[in-house]
Amino acid sequence: MLGIVFTSLIDMLEEKVSPEFADDVIMEAELENDGAYTAVGYYPFEQMQRLLGVLVEKTGKSENELLYDFGFYLFGKLAKAHGDVLANTDDMLDMLDMLAHLDDDIHVQVKKLYPDADLPRFKVLSRTDNAMRLQYYSERELYAMAEGLMDAAAEHYQCKLERETHQLDTPHTYEFSISLV
């Protein structure tokens, strides 16, 4: 998993709770690297699972609730880091449309650096001026994080969003039906 995901999670814990809380979570997760992450590194997904396990115990929230909250937070981090990309989009659906092109651009670059990277895939199934059906695939089942990213994007673009998520028969595959209202 990309390091920016780990560094952003630690940043969120430090900002939303406290640096001490973040340190406690890292220590309790008993990570091989003691939580030493760089944004450009690549780390085993199992480390994220361990961190989430500790957070579930400490907060009483479900893993999906935590992933949603993190996705919402992560959008802000990514928007700051990649503001040039967002500047080229007029609205939230344009931004989501770009997700379908990640495999053609960003993911190709990531795969060059990390050939074993397991990256999510997005496919636009249909789109109108105010609605979109988007297919999401990830063996890691991080759809709740994707939901948080979408809701944060709606807030960024100052629009109201209605979203339905359906798990498809194909393993690890979800469909998001998104409408701007």
Side-chain angles (χ1 to χ4, degrees), residues 75 85-86 88-102 121-127 130-136 146-154 157 159 161-163 176-180:
F75 179 85
V85 174
L86 292 180
N88 294 325
T89 58
D90 295 324
D91 62 30
M92 183 185 157
L93 293 181
D94 286 343
M95 188 270 308
L96 290 174
D97 227 353
M98 284 185 342
L99 292 176
H101 302 289
L102 286 176
R121 292 190 300 268
F122 296 91
K123 178 180 178 184
V124 176
L125 301 174
S126 66
R127 172 159 182 200
N130 64 348
M132 177 182 282
R133 285 180 37 245
L134 184 67
Q135 189 178 79
Y136 168 81
E147 291 173 329
L149 285 161
M150 284 185 260
D151 289 354
Y157 287 103
C159 60
L161 173 74
E162 287 182 0
R163 176 185 33 76
F176 300 115
S177 297
I178 304 158
S179 299
L180 301 179

Side-chain angles (χ1 to χ4, degrees), residues 1 26 36 39 51 85 104:
M1 181 167 258
I26 290 167
L51 291 166
V85 174
D104 301 333

Side-chain angles (χ1 to χ4, degrees), residues 47-96:
Q47 289 189 16
M48 178 61 70
Q49 291 172 307
R50 287 159 106 182
L51 291 166
L52 284 170
V54 171
L55 285 169
V56 166
E57 287 179 28
K58 286 186 152 313
T59 65
K61 288 186 170 187
S62 73
E63 189 172 299
N64 281 339
E65 288 173 305
L66 293 165
L67 285 168
Y68 174 89
D69 292 346
F70 177 55
F72 199 95
Y73 177 86
L74 182 61
F75 179 85
K77 291 292 237 186
L78 296 174
K80 285 180 186 172
H82 302 287
D84 54 327
V85 174
L86 292 180
N88 294 325
T89 58
D90 295 324
D91 62 30
M92 183 185 157
L93 293 181
D94 286 343
M95 188 270 308
L96 290 174

